[in-house]
Amino acid sequence: MEKIQALIIGSGPAGYTAAIYLARANMQPVIYEGIQPGGQLTTTTLIENYPGFAHGIDANELMSAMRQQAENLGTQIRTGSVTKVDLSQRPFRVEIEGSTTIEAESLIIATGATAKYLGLPSETKFRGLGVSACATCDGFFYRKRDVAVVGGGDTACEEATYLASLCRQVYMIVRKPFLRASQAMQQRVFDTPNIEVLFEHNTAEVLGDDSGVTGVRVRKTDGTERTLDVAGLFLAIGHHPVTELFDGQLKLDEEGYIVTEPGTSKTSVEGVFAAGDVKDPHYRQAIAAAGSGCIAALDCERWLRR
Ligand code: NDP
């Protein structure tokens, strides 16, 4: 059976950064890229807030540069998904694509998180064409235009206030008669003149044409409908960490995020480290994930040299 010294699962900024560090430390890392090589970032376009690129960089270009850098330094990058892990014994047993089993001395989990979507066909159709799940990533493209945000939690309030600083008008589509967000965040929303909160409303359909989103049809709980003429629809109804593989084997919080020892990447199982959005319900930024990939690689290297 093949035995790998340092196995990284996931190929977003956290996974590639971990690989870059481990390869430079001569730890012969291997990455399994999963079903979405490059991770969540590849669903967006221009990135302007990743330091080092004065004029921004295309997200796919950034991810392929990270991938190439990891490979140039000696990382083995493999296509395919991990379908099962057994962390009860070391070396850990890892099954790939439901068939091959390999052994891993150490493991870095960088499987990320996926934004929740409503599941409407029209929403899927306009994903990346006006439908987004990240205001920080895409809000800039809607400067001086009208947009809508779905959700009533802290993320939705944060995204709405951020968008209000760029856009002309922001609608919040909230299914309940109240916001779930903290009082402070609610107050910020209510104090922002260009945010209108539509309580007890649901998104019925995303409208658009070849140029992208042109509006959203919303339905109130009393059945009345209204069309919002918006150019962008931002989903802020939560994220799912991708941790199903580790359920019952690693300590997860109530939302399913991997719990790490504060200030480190160490999980509840020795030799298993976590990096990026899979352990971060709050920040969810590429640069934060890359930084946490670096931390995981350093923790992993020290552990392997113990
Ligand atoms: P939350 O789960 O707190 O809120 C999700 C929101 O989306 C709720 O208003 C929920 O409505 C709504 N929603 C969920 N599903 C649907 C749906 N299918 N249709 C319409 N609306 C829907 O997620 P957040 O991402 O806002 O926050 C996650 C965690 O992160 C929270 O603990 C939050 O406090 C924290 N956070 C903290 C921040 C901070 O402190 N600065 C910033 C951002 C997040 P309903 O209420 O009806 O269920």
Side-chain angles (χ1 to χ4, degrees):
M1 193 182 304
E2 186 187 17
K3 190 165 172 186
I4 289 166
Q5 188 172 214
L7 181 68
I8 300 166
I9 314 178
S11 58
Y16 288 143
T17 305
I20 289 165
Y21 273 77
L22 284 171
R24 289 192 80 241
N26 207 20
M27 294 287 142
Q28 288 112 32
V30 172
I31 288 194
Y32 275 90
E33 290 192 304
I35 46 169
Q36 191 178 27
Q40 280 186 85
L41 225 51
T42 57
T43 64
T44 141
T45 48
L46 187 68
I47 302 197
E48 290 182 323
N49 55 8
Y50 198 92
F53 301 96
H55 305 289
I57 182 164
D58 175 81
N60 283 286
E61 212 177 295
L62 176 64
M63 293 323 296
S64 35
M66 281 192 202
R67 185 182 193 277
Q68 194 61 56
Q69 187 178 357
E71 200 164 35
N72 291 349
L73 290 166
T75 306
Q76 259 194 58
I77 300 181
R78 302 184 182 172
T79 50
S81 296
V82 169
T83 41
K84 204 167 166 187
V85 293
D86 178 0
L87 306 180
S88 64
Q89 53 180 337
R90 279 208 313 266
F92 307 118
R93 293 270 174 119
V94 179
E95 181 195 85
I96 313 296
E97 298 291 353
S99 52
T100 325
T101 299
I102 56 176
E103 288 183 333
E105 192 58 44
S106 65
L107 197 61
I108 293 184
I109 302 170
T111 46
T114 51
K116 290 183 195 164
Y117 284 85
L118 297 167
L120 298 170
S122 57
E123 172 198 54
T124 312
K125 183 173 167 194
F126 291 108
R127 233 194 244 190
L129 292 168
V131 172
S132 164
C134 179
T136 329
C137 320
D138 299 328
F140 182 76
F141 303 111
Y142 302 92
R143 264 192 312 176
K144 299 192 166 58
R145 304 180 76 184
D146 294 355
V147 296
V149 175
V150 186
D154 279 315
T155 303
C157 290
E158 254 185 21
E159 304 235 314
T161 44
Y162 172 74
L163 289 165
S165 67
L166 301 169
C167 303
R168 194 173 56 177
Q169 175 70 40
V170 179
Y171 299 96
M172 282 184 75
I173 306 169
V174 180
R175 64 181 175 182
K176 294 240 173 84
F178 53 84
L179 295 174
R180 181 200 283 228
S182 58
Q183 282 304 322
M185 283 311 300
Q186 294 194 28
Q187 205 50 54
R188 277 181 66 189
V189 164
F190 297 134
D191 289 345
T192 307
N194 60 336
I195 299 179
E196 184 185 343
V197 185
L198 305 176
F199 287 111
E200 297 186 82
H201 276 75
N202 278 293
T203 310
E205 191 185 1
V206 183
L207 310 168
D209 56 25
D210 289 347
S211 68
V213 170
T214 56
V216 176
R217 187 161 56 81
V218 292
R219 187 177 300 130
K220 206 173 173 192
T221 36
D222 65 9
T224 53
E225 289 196 351
R226 159 176 184 194
T227 297
L228 308 172
D229 295 324
V230 293
L233 180 71
F234 290 87
L235 280 305
I237 60 171
H239 280 76
H240 291 295
V242 183
T243 51
E244 290 78 5
L245 281 177
F246 314 104
D247 200 9
Q249 303 196 66
L250 283 182
K251 190 171 175 204
L252 306 178
D253 71 9
E254 62 280 4
E255 307 282 335
Y257 288 91
I258 296 176
V259 175
T260 50
E261 204 177 284
T264 77
S265 64
K266 295 175 190 169
T267 71
S268 57
V269 173
E270 215 188 299
V272 180
F273 306 87
D277 286 11
V278 77
K279 55 157 283 191
D280 174 11
H282 294 297
Y283 300 106
R284 299 194 293 257
Q285 298 298 302
I287 187 66
S292 110
C294 157
I295 291 168
L298 295 176
D299 285 343
C300 181
E301 181 197 341
R302 276 178 205 141
W303 186 79
L304 285 168
R305 291 193 198 281
R306 74 201 180 280

